[in-house]
Amino acid sequence: MEAIRPVPRTLLRDRAHAAIRDAIVAGELEPGAIVRDADLAERLGLSRAPVREAFSRLVDEGLLESKPQSYTRVTPVLAEDVRDAAAVVGAMHELVTRIAVARLTQADLDTMRAANERFAAAVRAGDVDGALRADDDVHHVLVRAAGNRAAAATVARYTPLIRRLERRRFGEGGSCRSAGLHDRLIDACAMGDTETALRVTADIWRGLEDLADPD
């Protein structure tokens, strides 16, 4: 019975974190909503301990705010927070792009192109979830190829703050990132042109900083 082993506590914590984070980004848990560990533990089929640990991590990441002995609630979507997050995430993407371009294989480039095709199709269909997943898939190839664990962790930590605003703007009739910019990025990567890839990466993330500016 070697295959049947206790699920490590860290995996339960990570499972709770991912589920609650995704619900916040998707708007299922709206800004200002009060969250209770007992309620979410029941919904997730977990004990309260991993949910509490997930709450602590989400507070640190800026998606929840907590007042001891009073409440834990979803943070508002603040333009300043989004601009700060986009600046940091953009810098990390420029770092991984600088490292990754020379390491990309043909399979990597094919993966990026296929992801961008899914991205463009999702944008046309008004499928915000599909668009954001595909966008992640495009950029994840570069993050993975770079192999910089600190950069990858920073991207994972701060991207959800940006996604919340992207989803809102998309729902209001705005647009997500440009498939054309992705095409330019992929073409530069295919040619081994690191400098052009860096410029396009900067344009992509500068656009997300601009997304946070008042209309």
Side-chain angles (χ1 to χ4, degrees), residues 65-206:
E65 57 187 5
S66 181
K67 182 177 180 180
Q69 308 302 319
S70 182
Y71 61 78
T72 300
R73 66 188 178 193
V74 179
T75 56
V77 180
L78 299 177
E80 182 178 358
D81 290 344
V82 174
R83 282 194 297 271
D84 289 348
V88 170
V89 173
M92 292 300 99
H93 276 290
E94 289 182 51
L95 171 63
V96 300
T97 297
R98 185 177 296 280
I99 299 169
V101 169
R103 299 182 179 181
L104 294 173
T105 65
Q106 186 58 51
D108 290 329
L109 295 168
D110 291 344
T111 297
M112 292 176 76
R113 291 193 191 284
N116 197 34
E117 289 174 5
R118 295 195 304 274
F119 173 83
V123 171
R124 288 194 298 270
D127 176 7
V128 62
D129 291 320
L132 295 180
R133 283 195 301 271
D135 181 78
D136 281 338
D137 290 343
V138 171
H139 294 282
H140 178 69
V141 174
L142 293 164
V143 174
R144 177 181 50 76
N148 187 311
R149 294 173 62 185
T154 302
V155 167
R157 173 174 178 169
Y158 289 107
T159 297
L161 289 171
I162 305 165
R163 291 298 194 221
R164 289 206 292 167
L165 183 60
E166 284 188 281
R167 284 187 59 85
R168 175 178 292 182
R169 292 297 172 88
F170 193 102
E172 292 170 350
S175 62
C176 285
R177 310 182 200 183
S178 165
L181 280 174
H182 286 157
D183 282 332
R184 287 172 51 200
L185 173 63
I186 296 165
D187 288 344
C189 289
M191 293 185 291
D193 186 347
T194 300
E195 293 307 313
T196 296
L198 284 169
R199 285 195 294 272
V200 177
T201 298
D203 287 343
I204 290 171
W205 292 94
R206 189 178 303 114

Side-chain angles (χ1 to χ4, degrees), residues 20-84:
I20 299 166
R21 177 202 63 206
D22 292 349
I24 293 171
V25 172
E28 295 173 25
L29 295 173
E30 298 180 349
I34 300 295
V35 293
R36 297 178 176 84
D37 56 7
D39 293 342
L40 288 176
E42 182 176 1
R43 289 172 61 182
L44 293 170
L46 298 172
S47 68
R48 293 170 68 175
V51 173
R52 289 195 198 102
E53 292 176 30
F55 278 8
S56 178
R57 184 171 166 187
L58 290 162
V59 168
D60 188 51
E61 293 172 356
L63 293 173
L64 292 178
E65 57 187 5
S66 181
K67 182 177 180 180
Q69 308 302 319
S70 182
Y71 61 78
T72 300
R73 66 188 178 193
V74 179
T75 56
V77 180
L78 299 177
E80 182 178 358
D81 290 344
V82 174
R83 282 194 297 271
D84 289 348

